[in-house]
Amino acid sequence: LELSFTEDDSYLESLIEAGEENVAKDLCVTVKELETIGGGSRIPAPLRHAILLTIGAFYSNRESVTNARLQELPRGVKYLTELYRNYSL
């Protein structure tokens, strides 16, 4: 018996795009340029994690309003993207 849940696949794909764009915009680069940050050929692990944190936050909070008291995760997305921010611009 193989169980598979695919109802959210297209939604998750859009969240991946949104997460990548969010991190890229925070660093003032394109999504394609994320791959070359740090001289590599793929998005650095801390930035991939920042993208995943963004995706998780958007997936968990699908409405524009919430009754929950949210607070920023220490060493979360902002911390991870600041590791790669170019302050010389």
Side-chain angles (χ1 to χ4, degrees):
L1 177 67
E2 183 178 320
L3 299 176
S4 117
F5 179 76
T6 59
E7 289 180 31
D8 283 352
D9 286 0
S10 62
Y11 180 60
L12 287 169
E13 287 174 15
S14 72
L15 291 182
I16 292 168
E17 290 176 25
E20 291 173 338
E21 285 288 339
N22 182 69
V23 169
K25 295 288 185 200
D26 192 45
L27 295 173
C28 300
V29 299
T30 66
V31 171
K32 188 68 177 161
E33 290 172 320
L34 285 176
E35 295 174 5
T36 60
I37 287 179
S41 60
R42 63 185 276 195
I43 299 172
L47 294 181
R48 288 194 316 269
H49 191 66
I51 292 166
L52 289 171
L53 287 172
T54 302
I55 292 166
F58 289 155
Y59 187 80
S60 294
N61 300 287
R62 299 181 188 202
E63 303 295 327
S64 61
V65 295
T66 181
N67 292 329
R69 183 176 177 271
L70 302 175
Q71 67 184 54
E72 191 170 335
L73 178 68
R75 295 194 175 228
V77 174
K78 283 189 182 278
Y79 172 81
L80 293 169
T81 57
E82 284 177 357
L83 295 173
Y84 294 89
R85 185 178 296 276
N86 182 354
Y87 290 99
S88 64
L89 297 176

